Amino acid sequence: MLRSVRSPHYGLLPVPVVAATGMMCAVCRLSTALAGLASLAAVVVAGIPVSGAVAADGSVGAVRTVVGPAVLDTPGGLALSAAGDLFVADTGHCRVLVVPANSGTRYGLRLYAGHAATLAGRSCTGAGSIGHPSGVAVDAQGDVYIAEATAQRVQVVRPAGRAVVTVAGTGRAGFNGNGLAGNASELDEPTGVAVDGSGDVVIADTANCRVRVLAARSSTLFGRAMATGHLYTVAGTGVCGSAGQGGPVAAAQLWNPVAVAVDSAGDLLVADDGDQSVLLAPTRGGTFYGRAVGAGDIGLVVGGTGGYGPYVADGLAATGPAAELNDPRGLAVGSSGALVVTDGFMHAVRVVPSSDETLFGRPMTAGDLYTAAGAMPVTSPAGAGDGTRWVLTHLGTPTGVAVSASGTVYVADAGDDTVRAIAGGGT
């Protein structure tokens, strides 16, 4: 059975109807949003070296395909380790892939540089299955955390072996309170996951309209005392909406948080595709991406009216009517502090610099919103913003994103079943 989804650039698109559990099954949205153009031709077969890249010279704006449609099925989240290993949530295939930067034995596997290998999963049912992984994160020790929205849990794989261990969630959708042990705490469609510099695991508990933290040690985070190995809500009240945003984080609602990120200062960023925005909860008050957010508060840093409005133009303030997002699915923060957001239904990757700098070969102003890659509206004979110019590369439905220390941006595209690398030159 098919239904139609309206793409801002391609009109009505036929997609299969998939049943969803909870408020919104983000994995089902990943698998149904198959908009976009044909993918780049280059692919990598699992265990076969990368080849046929569009551009691999490392120059700013050069684009290459890292993993292609012969391997992937609606990829979701991405993560990069400190060693440069790339991890991919291969959602439709119910597995997580690793593309190692260097050869060696890790995770119980003999890995070869540039050769994709299955880290966890492979089957969607039965022994060893991991559900449909939607998000992935890696900590400083190389522990890989996997958010499984359809299996209601977050699991970890450690470099010393291939065992997949549940650290949060019971496998049953729900919410049974705060402060319980991670593996005794219910989740409801955990879609995104991140790890901060102290090893705390941050979870986008999507259908519960909350962000949760699995504490790595006893401490106080975002005003809440936490015990090691226990799970706590740090954002969202459990009521799905936007009330209270701009005020205390403990009282502010979230609508549909699907991705999380933590910057080097420990500030929490949340992509909320219920109101088409990115929110920030800082560890200390200050100005972030052109917006003042107080200590203990959560505030809007990217987004417009909260509806599916058109993106007008680059170089305008990252908040307000000209800064519309349409299905923000992935977040990453570069070494310079630049915020990178995938804008799924607009077929684009956006960037907001934290300071005036040159990114992707273009001068950019702090706090303004720019198209790093994909579709950008331009004036056509039909009117302002009615045409499309492709920046660097075509994108279908960009989902996960990760940024390397050198500024290379990796983008998962669920519409084209690819992961691409874009040399950013400073991100």
Side-chain angles (χ1 to χ4, degrees):
M1 181 177 180
L2 297 178
R3 65 181 177 88
S4 294
V5 170
R6 181 169 295 279
S7 158
H9 291 280
Y10 300 114
L12 290 174
L13 298 166
V15 296
V17 173
V18 181
T21 61
M23 187 191 89
M24 182 179 293
C25 177
V27 169
C28 295
R29 296 187 68 181
L30 287 179
S31 64
T32 59
L34 300 179
L37 301 179
S39 67
L40 299 174
V43 298
V44 56
V45 178
I48 303 298
V50 173
S51 62
V54 172
D57 58 8
S59 60
V60 173
V63 181
R64 62 186 176 88
T65 297
V66 179
V67 190
V71 175
L72 297 173
D73 182 2
T74 56
L78 299 178
L80 279 168
S81 73
D85 296 334
L86 175 67
F87 300 91
V88 184
D90 188 6
T91 307
H93 286 143
C94 300
R95 64 178 179 173
V96 172
L97 295 178
V98 56
V99 182
N102 299 292
S103 300
T105 300
R106 300 183 293 285
Y107 309 103
L109 299 169
R110 178 59 183 168
L111 301 174
Y112 299 91
H115 294 59
T118 297
L119 175 72
R122 194 182 294 275
S123 169
C124 296
T125 59
S129 65
I130 62 167
H132 292 81
S134 48
V136 64
V138 58
D139 68 13
Q141 286 69 49
D143 298 335
V144 180
Y145 294 88
I146 305 166
E148 300 173 37
T150 59
Q152 319 301 342
R153 65 191 178 189
V154 173
Q155 301 203 89
V156 65
V157 182
R158 305 191 191 280
R162 294 199 66 184
V164 183
V165 178
T166 299
V167 295
T170 64
R172 180 175 58 251
F175 178 79
N176 59 346
N178 278 300
L180 301 175
N183 57 11
S185 301
E186 293 176 352
L187 300 170
D188 197 348
E189 295 176 11
T191 304
V193 63
V195 187
D196 69 15
S198 299
D200 303 304
V201 180
V202 184
I203 302 166
D205 193 1
T206 303
N208 276 325
C209 297
R210 301 172 185 262
V211 172
R212 319 281 293 278
V213 169
L214 180 68
R217 68 198 191 291
S218 295
S219 62
T220 298
L221 289 174
F222 302 101
R224 182 182 286 275
M226 300 184 181
T228 304
H230 290 232
L231 191 68
Y232 301 86
T233 298
V234 294
T237 64
V239 176
C240 302
S242 302
Q245 294 178 6
V249 65
Q253 297 174 355
L254 299 175
W255 197 333
N256 202 57
V258 293
V260 286
V262 183
D263 67 16
S264 59
D267 304 320
L268 169 66
L269 292 125
V270 183
D272 190 331
D273 79 350
D275 60 9
Q276 312 303 321
S277 65
V278 178
L279 304 165
L280 182 143
T283 55
R284 299 178 181 176
T287 299
F288 306 87
Y289 307 106
R291 291 293 296 263
V293 185
D297 291 348
I298 187 168
L300 177 74
V301 291
V302 187
T305 63
Y308 287 88
Y311 182 82
V312 177
D314 276 359
L316 302 177
T319 57
E324 297 285 9
L325 296 175
N326 285 263
D327 204 27
R329 299 181 178 209
L331 291 176
V333 181
S335 58
S336 73
L339 173 61
V340 183
V341 185
T342 59
D343 196 357
F345 288 163
M346 293 297 282
H347 323 294
V349 176
R350 313 288 185 200
V351 61
V352 186
S354 63
S355 59
D356 294 351
E357 60 181 317
T358 297
L359 300 173
F360 304 99
R362 301 161 58 193
M364 298 185 182
T365 302
D368 287 352
L369 189 60
Y370 297 86
T371 302
M376 185 172 74
V378 294
T379 297
S380 76
D386 202 56
T388 298
R389 177 169 70 87
W390 292 100
V391 178
L392 298 182
T393 186
H394 290 185
L395 293 172
T397 308
T399 49
V401 63
V403 184
S404 74
S406 66
T408 296
V409 176
Y410 293 82
V411 182
D413 190 329
D416 287 349
D417 295 331
T418 61
V419 174
R420 298 185 183 94
I422 304 167
T427 314

